[in-house]
């Protein structure tokens, strides 16, 4: 299972990439493999403000719909429109073209609560 | 996946070896997918796929030898005709039929296939989740010299489905052996053993279901995978089984069928013979026919590309709530959201528009004819 060391992770299987004042968010390779073929993505609304652990997006596979949570408190400043036409990007490139949204972080200190790759690797066993 | 699954089919190790994602289903650890639901679904529509159906219950119902001596030759058939909705008398030896086991309220305990494997010998293949309940119900209603044997634990089975079934069948059983006709079942030699091959399935494609002793399961499974390799065979999990059956509007017990629903409401009156003098649930079904239905199970298709419908989503028409989705998914063949819902019978008209509420937002859908997918329209 691919778990890049330069990313942060949540218990709910989002990955987080720090980009200055922003974080880019997607779901992990493990999550996409558990979800199976992604067939629909409901993107967050632009400019939406969300608390940490608040559901902001939905990823649907053939079998089920799963909520995607904001990893930290912040405002949605970018969404990956490409997923509307090609939701399978999440399966094919979970850490690349399959990113879901970008949050402008309210409080950078909150990032400390996220897991590093080692902790996430342990979580999924 | 909260239910504790302990039981493993005789093919469990093969599924794990093939990298299947295993889930708990009806108390069994079953493969939900191997490589991916969509790819497995397409393998069945375009080539051929193999499913483990060893979790399904298998009963043998037969007249006892003493009943045959004492002149009660028809005991098993007569009794099954009381217990099941379809007409056993229409079955020649070697043929099977889809039928229902109903409670006294006409509600569906189970939907199953009964095969007449001898004049007074029947094989019932029932849903895994209902096996124990079915058996208890059948035993509770014994009234004639019939014996029922639950062979579920000692037998396994696979479904092999897809347009290339003919080629695979001959590769497995020999060039000169004929495929049983549709809905027929035949015992065929396989290696040193014998397996039962039925021309039935749950995918809408041509195919067979093969039943064998659990000890032969691995050998048969691997032979089918090996002989099927040049035909593009894929092992297929419950995920693809569900999308395939839903495209055909075949009901799933526990989702589309339940003890609170009768076969008429489910749109499956074809498998109920009301001209039989008596069977459990008949009175209620007759009344249902007389008085009209309250609700009806209808297939529907989303109008726009959007989120797929899911079980329990509410159904509306002109702002009025008229029902609930029982099955829904993104159809891999159509690449479109489809489903089935119980709705107010007065609104259940083919072509009528309904709204499916998905996360607080309404999405337009159209009530369709069965099936939701036809080969020619693809």
């Amino acid at each position: 299972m691919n778990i890049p060391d330069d990313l942060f992770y949540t218990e709910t299987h989002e990955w987080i990439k720090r980009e200055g004042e922003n974080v880019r968010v997607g779901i992990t390779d493990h999550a996409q493999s558990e979800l199976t073929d992604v067939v629909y993505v409901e993107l967050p609304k632009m400019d939406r403000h969300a608390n940490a652990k608040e559901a902001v997006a939905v990823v649907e596979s053939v079998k089920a719909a799963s909520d995607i949570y904001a990893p930290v408190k912040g405002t949605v400043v970018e969404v990956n429109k490409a997923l509307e036409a090609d939701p399978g990007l999440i399966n094919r490139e979970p850490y690349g073209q399959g990113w879901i949204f970008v949050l402008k972080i309210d409080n950078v200190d909150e990032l400390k609560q996220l897991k590093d790759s080692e902790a996430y690797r342990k979580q999924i066993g | 996946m909260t239910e504790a699954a302990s039981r493993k089919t005789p093919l469990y190790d093969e599924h794990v070896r093939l990298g299947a994602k295993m889930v708990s289903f009806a108390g069994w650890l079953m493969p939900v997918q191997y490589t991916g639901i969509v790819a497995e679904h397409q393998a069945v529509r375009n080539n051929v796929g193999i499913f483990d159906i060893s979790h399904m219950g298998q009963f043998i119902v037969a007249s006892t030898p003493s009943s045959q001596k004492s002149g009660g030759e028809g005991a098993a058939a007569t009794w099954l005709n009381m217990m099941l909705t379809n007409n056993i008398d229409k079955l020649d030896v070697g043929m099977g039929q889809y039928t229902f086991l109903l409670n006294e309220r006409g509600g569906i305990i189970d939907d199953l296939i009964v095969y007449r494997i001898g004049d007074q010998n029947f094989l019932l293949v029932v849903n895994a989740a209902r096996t124990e309940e079915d058996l208890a119900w059948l035993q509770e209603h014994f009234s004639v010299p019939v014996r029922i044997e639950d062979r579920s634990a000692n037998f396994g089975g696979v479904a092999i489905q897809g347009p290339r079934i003919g080629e695979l069948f001959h590769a497995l059983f020999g060039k000169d052996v004929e495929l049983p006709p549709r809905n027929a079942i035949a015992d065929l030699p396989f290696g040193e053993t014998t397996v039962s091959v039925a021309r039935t399935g749950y995918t809408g494609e041509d195919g067979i279901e093969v039943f064998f002793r659990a000890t032969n399961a691995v050998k048969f499974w691997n032979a089918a995978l090996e002989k099927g390799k040049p035909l593009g065979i894929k092992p297929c999990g419950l995920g693809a089984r569900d999308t395939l059956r839903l495209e055909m509007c075949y009901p799933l017990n526990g989702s589309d069928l339940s003890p609170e629903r009768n076969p008429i409401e489910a749109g499956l009156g074809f498998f109920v013979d009301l001209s039989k003098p008596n069977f459990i649930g008949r009175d209620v079904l007759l009344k249902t026919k007389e008085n009209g239905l309250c609700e009806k199970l209808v297939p529907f298709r989303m109008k726009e590309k959007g989120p797929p419908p899911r079980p329990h989503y509410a159904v509306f028409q002109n702002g009025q709530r008229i029902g609930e989705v029982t099955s829904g998914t993104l159809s891999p063949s159509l690449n479109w959201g489809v489903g089935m819902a119980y709705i107010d019978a007065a609104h259940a008209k083919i072509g009528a528009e309904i709204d499916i509420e998905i996360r607080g937002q309404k999405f337009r859908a159209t009530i369709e004819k069965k099936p939701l997918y036809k080969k020619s329209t693809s």
Side-chain angles (χ1 to χ4, degrees), chain A residues 60-81:
Chain A
E60 300 211 35
S61 70
V62 174
K63 284 214 72 72
S66 308
D67 285 331
I68 306 303
Y69 301 93
V72 292
K73 200 171 179 177
T75 305
V76 176
V77 293
E78 217 181 313
V79 296
N80 187 0
K81 286 271 181 201

Side-chain angles (χ1 to χ4, degrees), chain B residues 301-306 336-337 351 353-354 363-366:
Chain B
R301 182 188 157 109
M302 305 308 292
K303 282 211 91 157
E304 311 279 340
K305 218 169 165 58
W336 209 264
E353 297 202 332
I354 53 177
F363 293 85
R364 190 59 48 96
T366 312

Side-chain angles (χ1 to χ4, degrees), chain A residues 33-37 39-40 42 45 58 60-65 67 84, chain B residues 21 32-33 36-38 238-239 242-243 306-308 310 313 329-330 359:
Chain A
S33 131
E34 285 295 308
L35 284 175
T36 73
D37 309 298
V39 295
Y40 183 80
E42 191 173 294
K45 299 240 175 343
V58 181
E60 300 211 35
S61 70
V62 174
K63 284 214 72 72
D67 285 331
E84 288 179 344
Chain B
K21 192 180 301 300
V32 66
Q33 66 160 58
I37 293 171
V38 175
L238 293 177
D242 191 50
T243 51
R310 304 280 179 197
Y313 287 175
T329 191
L330 184 116
R359 297 185 281 277

Side-chain angles (χ1 to χ4, degrees), chain B residues 277-291:
Chain B
N278 202 9
F279 60 86
I280 295 175
R282 180 175 180 269
D283 298 347
V284 181
L285 298 191
L286 274 177
K287 248 180 232 150
T288 306
K289 275 223 139 163
E290 247 171 65
N291 303 341

Side-chain angles (χ1 to χ4, degrees), chain B residues 156-211:
Chain B
V158 295
I160 310 179
Q161 305 272 302
R164 302 194 77 173
I165 184 61
E167 295 159 80
L168 181 51
F169 174 84
H170 292 298
L172 281 166
F173 293 99
K175 264 205 320 275
D176 304 323
V177 182
E178 274 187 47
L179 257 175
R182 198 161 287 273
N183 293 322
I185 190 165
D187 282 348
L188 297 176
F190 177 77
E192 292 93 64
T193 167
T194 299
V195 300
S196 300
V197 179
R199 188 88 170 270
T200 44
Y202 190 49
T203 62
E205 296 298 328
D206 193 1
I208 57 175
E209 291 175 300
V210 186
F211 307 105

